[in-house]
């Protein structure tokens, strides 16, 4: 009797990609801890509330209901999605260290960079699922009542919202790789959220007011907008089309040399740089 039946096939003998293994582990933990369900429910509830309020007054206007909802949801995204992303990722590394599972995890044949990237991908799947499903409920509600006109802008806003969440996931991973304790990482995460969501624009407005009406060079203003991922997101989603008129961002976009490609590239860089920094810091970290 031969042992041909016991011999593993090439597909069975091929080891699973370590990054995907870590990502699946992170996703399973997110499902087990109700992160997927809770974030989806929160986003869906708030998105549907905004959709119900925002779509109501559009019956006698030429503006599509979904265009109105895009403005409201984009404003919600700027405040809520970064916070959810930072809550997801700020203790990705420190949690493992405090539970004593980090050494066990690193005993497997994988690098520290693969651990960071795998955790990041798993959390990105959680955030993307919550955002797409949550906003999808709102879109379905509006489409059933007012039709599907403006769905392209809504789909683009949803995709950009996932990209903004990816930026703050990377920033949270960087915070987690920088410090030793989850409480410290949480403090950094709160500081990052306050800086980019509230304080940065307040400081920028104060500088503009302090100039006493003197014009700011265009390239300086463009650079200031690119240095804040939430501003890049706001200009990307609300700078063109009907949303620009409703949000008031059309004037800023028209006086800027920034294009959608540049703004999308800025969000990509905002993802890559903190994530690369997290990989470097974690590789040099003493356990």
């Amino acid at each position: 009797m031969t042992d041909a039946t016991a011999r593993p096939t090439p597909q069975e003998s091929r080891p699973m990609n370590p990054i995907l293994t870590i990502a699946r582990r992170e996703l399973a933990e997110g499902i087990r801890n109700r992160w997927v369900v809770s974030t989806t429910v929160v986003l869906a509830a708030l998105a549907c509330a905004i959709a119900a309020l925002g779509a109501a007054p559009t019956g006698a206007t030429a503006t599509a209901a979904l265009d109105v909802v895009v403005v409201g949801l984009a404003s919600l995204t700027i405040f809520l999605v970064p916070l959810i992303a930072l809550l997801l990722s700020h203790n990705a590394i420190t949690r493992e260290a405090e539970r004593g599972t980090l050494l066990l995890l690193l005993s497997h044949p994988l690098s520290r960079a693969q651990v960071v990237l795998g955790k990041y991908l798993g959390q990105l799947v959680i955030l993307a699922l919550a955002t797409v499903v949550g906003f999808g409920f709102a879109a379905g509600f509006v489409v059933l009542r007012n039709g599907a006109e403006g769905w392209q802008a809504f789909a683009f806003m949803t995709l950009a919202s996932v990209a903004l969440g990816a930026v703050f996931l990377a920033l949270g991973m960087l915070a987690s790789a920088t410090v030793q304790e989850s409480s410290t990482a949480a403090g950094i995460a709160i500081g990052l959220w306050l800086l980019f969501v509230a304080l940065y624009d307040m400081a920028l407005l104060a500088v503009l007011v302090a100039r006493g009406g003197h014009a700011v060079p265009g390239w300086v203003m463009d650079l200031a907008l690119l240095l804040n991922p939430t501003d890049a997101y706001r200009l990307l989603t609300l700078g063109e089309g009907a949303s620009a008129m409703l949000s008031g961002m059309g004037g800023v976009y028209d006086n800027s040399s920034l294009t959608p490609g540049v703004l999308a590239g800025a969000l990509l860089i905002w993802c890559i740089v903190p994530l690369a920094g997290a990989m470097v810091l974690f590789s040099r970290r003493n356990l």
Side-chain angles (χ1 to χ4, degrees):
M1 185 174 179
T2 64
D3 60 348
T5 57
R7 186 178 303 157
T9 64
Q11 186 176 8
E12 292 173 336
S13 60
R14 187 185 305 140
M16 183 177 292
N17 189 309
I19 296 175
L20 295 181
T21 302
I22 298 296
R24 290 180 59 183
R25 175 178 178 269
E26 198 72 14
L27 178 59
E29 185 170 343
I31 294 174
R32 186 168 57 250
N33 294 337
R34 306 288 198 278
W35 264 110
V36 176
V37 175
S38 60
T39 53
T40 301
V41 169
V42 168
L43 286 175
L46 292 175
C48 287
I50 289 177
L53 294 173
T58 63
T61 68
T63 305
L66 279 176
D67 287 327
V68 179
V69 173
V70 162
V71 177
L73 285 184
S75 301
L76 170 69
T77 295
I78 290 171
F79 286 94
L80 189 58
V81 170
L83 180 61
I84 293 174
L86 289 169
L87 289 175
L88 271 172
S89 61
H90 79 276
N91 62 349
I93 304 298
T94 55
R95 181 182 68 245
E96 298 279 2
E98 291 171 350
R99 292 191 309 191
T101 57
L102 187 56
L103 287 174
L104 178 62
L105 184 63
L106 294 176
S107 66
H108 293 81
L110 49 83
S111 67
R112 296 192 182 192
Q114 288 175 324
V115 172
V116 172
L117 187 56
K119 283 181 166 292
Y120 177 79
L121 290 178
Q123 292 168 355
L124 182 57
V125 171
I126 294 174
L127 186 65
L129 283 173
T131 304
V132 172
V133 175
F135 286 5
F137 274 109
F141 174 81
V142 175
V143 168
L144 288 175
R145 291 184 58 185
N146 304 91
E149 184 182 357
W151 70 267
Q152 298 94 333
F154 190 95
F156 182 77
M157 183 273 299
T158 303
L159 181 62
S161 299
V162 174
L164 181 65
V167 169
F168 282 88
L169 284 175
L171 290 171
M173 292 293 299
L174 178 60
S176 188
T178 302
V179 299
Q180 300 288 335
E181 298 180 357
S182 294
S183 58
T184 307
I188 295 174
I190 293 173
L192 289 172
W193 184 81
L194 287 173
L195 172 64
F196 289 118
V197 173
L199 299 180
Y200 185 93
D201 286 341
M202 292 174 61
L204 183 59
L205 181 60
V207 171
L208 295 177
V209 171
R211 289 185 60 85
H214 297 286
V216 177
W219 69 270
V220 174
M221 193 64 187
D222 290 346
L223 180 61
L225 293 172
L226 293 177
L227 288 177
N228 186 351
T230 62
D231 285 336
Y233 166 84
R234 184 184 286 112
L235 208 58
L236 182 63
T237 55
L238 303 177
E240 292 184 302
S243 300
M245 177 186 64
L246 294 170
S247 65
M249 292 297 296
V252 178
Y253 185 83
D254 292 339
N255 291 308
S256 170
S257 61
L258 300 175
T259 64
V262 172
L263 294 168
L267 290 178
L268 180 61
I269 293 173
W270 269 105
C271 290
I272 293 175
V273 173
L275 191 60
M279 292 179 184
V280 171
L281 289 175
F282 186 48
S283 66
R284 297 177 180 177
R285 178 171 175 168
N286 294 321
L287 302 180

